Coordinates of all heavy atoms in Angstrom, one line a residue:
L89 N 11.1 20.9 31.8 CA 10.5 21.7 30.7 C 11.7 22.2 29.9 O 12.5 22.9 30.6 CB 9.6 22.7 31.2 CG 8.7 23.3 30.3 CD1 7.6 22.3 29.8 CD2 7.9 24.4 31.0
V90 N 11.7 22.2 28.6 CA 12.7 22.7 27.9 C 12.3 23.6 26.8 O 11.3 23.3 26.2 CB 13.6 21.5 27.1 CG1 14.5 22.0 26.1 CG2 14.3 20.6 28.1
S91 N 12.9 24.9 26.7 CA 12.5 25.8 25.7 C 13.4 25.4 24.4 O 14.5 25.3 24.3 CB 12.9 27.2 26.1 OG 13.0 28.1 24.9
L92 N 12.6 25.3 23.3 CA 13.2 24.9 22.1 C 13.3 26.2 21.3 O 14.1 26.1 20.3 CB 12.2 23.9 21.3 CG 12.1 22.5 22.0 CD1 10.9 21.7 21.2 CD2 13.5 21.8 21.7
D93 N 13.0 27.3 21.7 CA 13.2 28.6 21.2 C 14.7 29.1 21.5 O 15.3 29.5 20.7 CB 12.1 29.6 21.5 CG 10.7 29.2 21.2 OD1 10.5 28.8 20.0 OD2 9.9 29.2 22.2
N94 N 15.0 28.9 22.8 CA 16.2 29.4 23.3 C 17.2 28.2 23.7 O 18.3 28.6 24.3 CB 16.0 30.1 24.7 CG 15.0 31.2 24.5 OD1 14.9 31.8 23.5 ND2 14.1 31.4 25.6
N95 N 16.8 27.0 23.5 CA 17.7 25.9 23.8 C 18.1 25.9 25.2 O 19.3 25.9 25.6 CB 18.8 25.9 22.9 CG 18.4 25.5 21.5 OD1 17.4 24.8 21.2 ND2 19.2 26.0 20.5
Q96 N 17.0 26.1 26.1 CA 17.4 26.3 27.5 C 16.4 25.4 28.3 O 15.3 25.1 28.0 CB 17.2 27.7 27.9 CG 18.3 28.5 27.8 CD 18.0 29.9 28.2 OE1 16.8 30.2 28.6 NE2 19.0 30.8 28.2
L97 N 17.1 24.7 29.5 CA 16.2 24.3 30.4 C 15.5 25.2 31.2 O 16.0 26.1 31.8 CB 17.2 23.2 31.4 CG 16.5 22.5 32.5 CD1 15.8 21.3 31.7 CD2 17.5 21.9 33.2
I98 N 14.2 25.0 31.2 CA 13.3 26.0 31.9 C 13.1 25.7 33.4 O 13.1 26.3 34.3 CB 12.0 26.3 31.3 CG1 12.1 26.7 29.8 CG2 11.1 27.3 32.0 CD1 10.8 26.7 29.0
E99 N 12.7 24.3 33.5 CA 12.3 23.8 34.9 C 12.8 22.4 35.1 O 12.9 21.6 34.0 CB 10.8 23.8 35.0 CG 10.1 25.0 35.4 CD 8.7 24.9 35.4 OE1 8.1 23.7 35.6 OE2 7.9 25.8 35.0
S100 N 13.2 22.0 36.2 CA 13.4 20.5 36.6 C 12.9 20.3 37.9 O 13.1 21.0 38.9 CB 14.9 20.4 36.6 OG 15.3 19.0 37.1
E101 N 12.0 19.3 38.0 CA 11.3 19.1 39.3 C 11.4 17.6 39.6 O 11.1 16.7 38.8 CB 9.9 19.4 39.2 CG 9.2 19.4 40.5 CD 7.7 19.7 40.5 OE1 7.1 20.0 39.4 OE2 6.9 19.4 41.5
H102 N 11.8 17.2 40.8 CA 11.9 15.8 41.2 C 10.5 15.5 41.7 O 9.9 16.2 42.5 CB 13.0 15.8 42.5 CG 12.9 14.4 43.1 ND1 13.0 14.2 44.4 CD2 12.8 13.2 42.5 CE1 13.0 12.9 44.7 NE2 12.9 12.3 43.5
I103 N 10.0 14.4 41.3 CA 8.7 13.9 41.6 C 8.9 12.7 42.5 O 9.2 11.5 42.0 CB 7.8 13.5 40.3 CG1 7.8 14.6 39.3 CG2 6.4 13.1 40.7 CD1 7.2 15.9 39.5
P104 N 8.7 12.8 43.8 CA 9.0 11.7 44.6 C 8.0 10.8 44.7 O 6.8 11.0 44.5 CB 9.2 12.4 46.0 CG 8.4 13.7 45.9 CD 8.4 14.1 44.5
G105 N 8.3 9.5 45.0 CA 7.2 8.4 45.2 C 6.5 7.9 44.0 O 5.4 7.4 44.2
V106 N 7.1 8.2 43.0 CA 6.3 7.6 41.7 C 7.2 6.7 40.9 O 8.5 6.9 41.0 CB 5.7 8.8 40.8 CG1 4.8 9.6 41.6 CG2 6.9 9.6 40.2
Q107 N 6.6 5.9 40.1 CA 7.4 5.1 39.1 C 7.0 5.5 37.7 O 5.9 5.9 37.5 CB 7.1 3.7 39.4 CG 7.7 3.1 40.6 CD 9.2 3.2 40.7 OE1 9.8 3.3 39.9 NE2 9.7 3.0 42.0
P108 N 8.0 5.8 36.7 CA 7.7 5.9 35.4 C 7.0 4.7 34.8 O 6.9 3.7 35.4 CB 9.0 6.3 34.7 CG 9.9 5.4 35.5 CD 9.4 5.4 37.0
S109 N 6.4 5.0 33.5 CA 5.8 3.9 32.8 C 6.9 3.0 32.5 O 8.2 3.1 32.7 CB 5.1 4.4 31.6 OG 6.0 5.0 30.8
F110 N 6.6 1.8 31.8 CA 7.6 0.7 31.5 C 8.7 1.2 30.7 O 8.6 1.9 29.7 CB 6.9 -0.4 30.7 CG 6.4 -1.5 31.7 CD1 6.2 -1.2 33.0 CD2 6.4 -2.7 31.2 CE1 5.8 -2.3 33.9 CE2 5.9 -3.8 32.1 CZ 5.6 -3.5 33.4
I111 N 10.0 1.0 31.2 CA 11.1 1.2 30.4 C 12.0 0.0 30.6 O 12.3 -0.3 31.8 CB 12.0 2.4 30.8 CG1 11.1 3.7 30.9 CG2 13.2 2.7 30.0 CD1 11.8 4.9 31.5
F112 N 12.5 -0.7 29.6 CA 13.2 -1.9 29.7 C 14.7 -1.6 29.2 O 14.8 -0.9 28.3 CB 12.7 -3.1 28.8 CG 11.3 -3.3 29.1 CD1 10.4 -3.1 28.1 CD2 10.9 -3.7 30.4 CE1 9.0 -3.2 28.5 CE2 9.6 -3.9 30.6 CZ 8.6 -3.7 29.7
G113 N 15.6 -2.2 30.0 CA 17.1 -2.1 29.5 C 17.6 -0.8 30.2 O 17.0 -0.1 30.9
D114 N 18.8 -0.5 29.6 CA 19.5 0.7 30.0 C 20.4 1.2 28.9 O 20.2 0.8 27.8 CB 20.3 0.5 31.3 CG 21.2 -0.8 31.2 OD1 21.8 -0.9 30.2 OD2 21.2 -1.5 32.1
H115 N 21.4 2.0 29.2 CA 22.1 2.6 28.1 C 23.0 1.5 27.4 O 23.4 1.7 26.1 CB 23.1 3.7 28.5 CG 22.5 5.1 28.6 ND1 22.5 6.0 27.8 CD2 21.3 5.3 29.3 CE1 21.8 7.0 28.1 NE2 21.0 6.7 29.0
E116 N 23.3 0.4 28.0 CA 24.0 -0.7 27.5 C 23.3 -1.9 27.0 O 23.7 -2.7 26.1 CB 25.1 -1.2 28.4 CG 26.3 -0.2 28.7 CD 26.0 0.9 29.5 OE1 25.3 0.8 30.5 OE2 26.4 2.0 29.3
T117 N 22.1 -2.1 27.5 CA 21.3 -3.2 27.3 C 20.0 -2.8 26.5 O 19.1 -2.3 27.2 CB 20.8 -3.8 28.6 OG1 22.0 -3.7 29.6 CG2 20.6 -5.4 28.6
N118 N 19.8 -3.3 25.4 CA 18.5 -3.1 24.7 C 17.5 -4.2 25.2 O 17.9 -5.1 26.0 CB 18.7 -3.0 23.2 CG 19.2 -4.4 22.6 OD1 18.8 -5.5 23.2 ND2 19.8 -4.3 21.4
F119 N 16.3 -4.1 24.5 CA 15.2 -5.0 25.1 C 15.6 -6.4 24.9 O 15.5 -7.4 25.7 CB 13.9 -4.7 24.5 CG 12.8 -5.6 25.1 CD1 12.4 -5.5 26.2 CD2 12.2 -6.4 24.2 CE1 11.4 -6.3 26.8 CE2 11.1 -7.3 24.6 CZ 10.7 -7.2 26.0
L120 N 16.2 -6.8 23.7 CA 16.5 -8.2 23.5 C 17.7 -8.7 24.4 O 17.6 -10.0 24.9 CB 17.0 -8.4 22.0 CG 15.9 -8.3 21.0 CD1 16.4 -8.4 19.5 CD2 14.7 -9.3 21.2
Q121 N 18.6 -7.9 24.6 CA 19.8 -8.2 25.5 C 19.2 -8.4 26.9 O 19.7 -9.2 27.8 CB 20.9 -7.2 25.5 CG 21.6 -7.1 24.1 CD 22.3 -5.8 24.0 OE1 21.9 -4.9 24.3 NE2 23.4 -5.9 23.2
F122 N 18.3 -7.5 27.3 CA 17.6 -7.6 28.6 C 17.0 -8.8 28.8 O 17.0 -9.4 29.9 CB 16.6 -6.3 28.7 CG 15.7 -6.3 29.8 CD1 16.2 -5.9 31.1 CD2 14.3 -6.7 29.6 CE1 15.2 -6.0 32.1 CE2 13.5 -6.8 30.6 CZ 13.9 -6.3 32.0
D123 N 16.2 -9.3 27.7 CA 15.5 -10.5 27.8 C 16.5 -11.7 28.1 O 16.4 -12.6 28.8 CB 14.8 -10.8 26.3 CG 13.8 -11.8 26.3 OD1 12.9 -11.8 27.2 OD2 14.0 -12.7 25.6
Q124 N 17.6 -11.7 27.2 CA 18.7 -12.6 27.5 C 19.3 -12.7 28.9 O 19.5 -13.8 29.4 CB 19.8 -12.4 26.5 CG 19.5 -12.8 25.1 CD 18.9 -14.3 24.8 OE1 19.5 -15.1 25.5 NE2 18.1 -14.5 24.1
K125 N 19.4 -11.5 29.3 CA 20.1 -11.5 30.7 C 19.2 -12.1 31.7 O 19.6 -12.8 32.6 CB 20.3 -9.9 31.1 CG 21.3 -9.6 32.1 CD 21.5 -8.1 32.4 CE 22.2 -7.9 33.6 NZ 22.2 -6.5 34.0
I126 N 17.8 -11.8 31.6 CA 16.8 -12.5 32.5 C 17.0 -14.0 32.3 O 16.9 -14.8 33.3 CB 15.4 -12.0 32.4 CG1 15.4 -10.5 32.4 CG2 14.5 -12.6 33.2 CD1 15.7 -9.9 33.7
K127 N 17.0 -14.5 31.2 CA 17.0 -16.0 30.9 C 18.2 -16.6 31.4 O 18.1 -17.8 31.7 CB 16.8 -16.1 29.5 CG 15.4 -15.9 28.9 CD 15.3 -16.2 27.4 CE 13.9 -15.9 26.8 NZ 14.1 -16.2 25.3
S128 N 19.2 -15.8 31.5 CA 20.6 -16.5 31.8 C 20.7 -16.5 33.4 O 21.7 -17.0 33.9 CB 21.8 -15.8 31.1 OG 21.8 -14.5 31.5
D129 N 19.7 -15.9 34.1 CA 19.9 -15.9 35.6 C 19.8 -17.5 36.1 O 18.7 -18.1 35.7 CB 18.8 -15.2 36.1 CG 18.9 -15.0 37.6 OD1 18.5 -16.0 38.5 OD2 19.4 -13.9 38.2
P130 N 20.6 -17.9 37.0 CA 20.5 -19.3 37.4 C 19.1 -19.7 37.9 O 18.6 -20.8 37.8 CB 21.7 -19.4 38.4 CG 22.5 -18.1 38.3 CD 21.7 -17.2 37.5
R131 N 18.5 -18.7 38.8 CA 17.3 -19.0 39.3 C 16.3 -19.3 38.3 O 15.3 -20.0 38.5 CB 16.8 -17.9 40.2 CG 17.8 -17.7 41.5 CD 17.5 -16.4 42.1 NE 18.1 -15.2 41.4 CZ 17.9 -14.0 41.7 NH1 17.2 -13.7 42.7 NH2 18.6 -13.1 40.9
V132 N 16.3 -18.5 37.2 CA 15.3 -18.7 36.1 C 15.6 -20.0 35.4 O 14.6 -20.9 35.2 CB 15.5 -17.6 35.1 CG1 14.6 -18.0 33.8 CG2 15.0 -16.3 35.8
I133 N 16.8 -20.4 35.2 CA 17.3 -21.6 34.6 C 16.7 -22.8 35.5 O 16.1 -23.7 34.9 CB 18.8 -21.7 34.4 CG1 19.2 -20.7 33.4 CG2 19.3 -23.3 34.0 CD1 20.8 -20.5 33.3
E134 N 17.0 -22.6 36.7 CA 16.5 -23.7 37.7 C 15.0 -23.9 37.5 O 14.5 -25.0 37.5 CB 16.9 -23.4 39.0 CG 16.7 -24.6 40.0 CD 16.9 -24.0 41.5 OE1 17.6 -23.1 41.8 OE2 16.2 -24.8 42.3
A135 N 14.2 -22.8 37.6 CA 12.8 -22.9 37.6 C 12.2 -23.5 36.3 O 11.3 -24.3 36.1 CB 12.2 -21.5 37.6
L136 N 13.0 -23.2 35.2 CA 12.6 -23.8 33.8 C 12.9 -25.3 33.8 O 12.1 -26.1 33.3 CB 13.4 -23.1 32.6 CG 12.9 -21.5 32.5 CD1 13.7 -20.8 31.4 CD2 11.4 -21.5 32.0
N137 N 14.1 -25.5 34.4 CA 14.6 -27.0 34.3 C 13.5 -27.9 35.1 O 13.2 -29.0 34.7 CB 15.9 -27.1 35.1 CG 17.0 -26.8 34.1 OD1 16.9 -26.7 32.9 ND2 18.2 -26.6 34.7
K138 N 13.0 -27.3 36.2 CA 12.0 -27.9 37.0 C 10.7 -28.3 36.2 O 10.1 -29.2 36.5 CB 11.6 -27.1 38.1 CG 11.4 -27.6 39.5 CD 11.2 -26.6 40.6 CE 9.9 -26.4 41.2 NZ 9.8 -25.3 42.2
R139 N 10.5 -27.5 35.1 CA 9.4 -27.8 34.2 C 9.9 -28.5 32.9 O 9.1 -28.6 31.9 CB 8.8 -26.5 33.9 CG 8.1 -25.8 35.1 CD 7.8 -24.3 34.9 NE 6.9 -23.9 35.9 CZ 7.2 -23.6 37.3 NH1 8.5 -23.6 37.5 NH2 6.4 -23.2 38.1
G140 N 11.0 -29.0 33.0 CA 11.6 -29.8 31.8 C 12.0 -29.0 30.6 O 12.0 -29.5 29.5
I141 N 12.2 -27.6 31.0 CA 12.6 -26.8 29.8 C 14.0 -26.6 29.9 O 14.5 -25.9 30.9 CB 11.8 -25.4 29.9 CG1 10.3 -25.7 29.8 CG2 12.3 -24.6 28.8 CD1 9.4 -24.6 30.2
T142 N 14.9 -27.1 29.0 CA 16.3 -26.9 29.1 C 16.8 -25.9 28.2 O 18.0 -25.4 28.3 CB 17.0 -28.3 28.9 OG1 16.5 -28.9 27.7 CG2 16.8 -29.1 30.1
N143 N 16.0 -25.7 27.1 CA 16.5 -24.6 26.0 C 15.6 -23.4 26.2 O 14.5 -23.3 26.0 CB 16.3 -25.2 24.7 CG 16.7 -24.2 23.5 OD1 17.3 -23.1 23.9 ND2 16.4 -24.6 22.4
S144 N 16.2 -22.3 26.8 CA 15.5 -21.2 27.0 C 15.1 -20.2 25.8 O 14.5 -19.2 25.7 CB 16.0 -20.2 28.2 OG 17.3 -19.7 27.7
E145 N 15.9 -20.6 24.7 CA 15.7 -19.9 23.4 C 14.3 -19.7 23.0 O 13.8 -18.8 22.5 CB 16.4 -20.7 22.3 CG 17.8 -20.5 22.2 CD 18.4 -19.0 22.0 OE1 17.9 -18.6 21.0 OE2 19.0 -18.5 22.8
L146 N 13.4 -20.8 23.3 CA 12.0 -20.8 22.9 C 11.0 -20.2 24.0 O 9.9 -20.2 23.8 CB 11.6 -22.1 22.6 CG 12.4 -22.7 21.3 CD1 12.0 -24.2 21.2 CD2 12.0 -22.0 20.1
V147 N 11.8 -19.6 25.1 CA 10.9 -19.2 26.2 C 10.6 -17.7 25.9 O 11.5 -16.9 25.5 CB 11.7 -19.3 27.6 CG1 10.8 -18.6 28.6 CG2 11.8 -20.9 27.9
M148 N 9.4 -17.3 26.0 CA 9.0 -15.8 25.9 C 8.7 -15.3 27.3 O 7.9 -15.9 27.9 CB 7.8 -15.6 25.0 CG 7.7 -16.4 23.8 SD 6.5 -15.9 22.6 CE 5.0 -15.7 23.5

Side-chain angles (χ1 to χ4, degrees):
L89 197 62
V90 166
S91 165
L92 294 164
D93 303 309
N94 309 322
N95 293 330
Q96 274 178 356
L97 186 63
I98 304 172
E99 277 172 35
S100 170
E101 188 186 354
H102 175 219
I103 311 294
V106 301
Q107 294 296 346
S109 63
F110 264 26
I111 306 168
F112 306 112
D114 49 44
H115 279 244
E116 284 77 43
T117 322
N118 66 27
F119 181 66
L120 288 178
Q121 292 163 329
F122 169 77
D123 193 62
Q124 283 307 320
K125 199 174 165 190
I126 301 300
K127 283 180 184 176
S128 60
D129 186 285
R131 292 164 290 176
V132 173
I133 294 171
E134 191 195 330
L136 292 173
N137 282 345
K138 220 165 114 183
R139 290 164 168 80
I141 302 162
T142 49
N143 175 8
S144 67
E145 282 295 301
L146 296 173
V147 172
M148 309 193 312

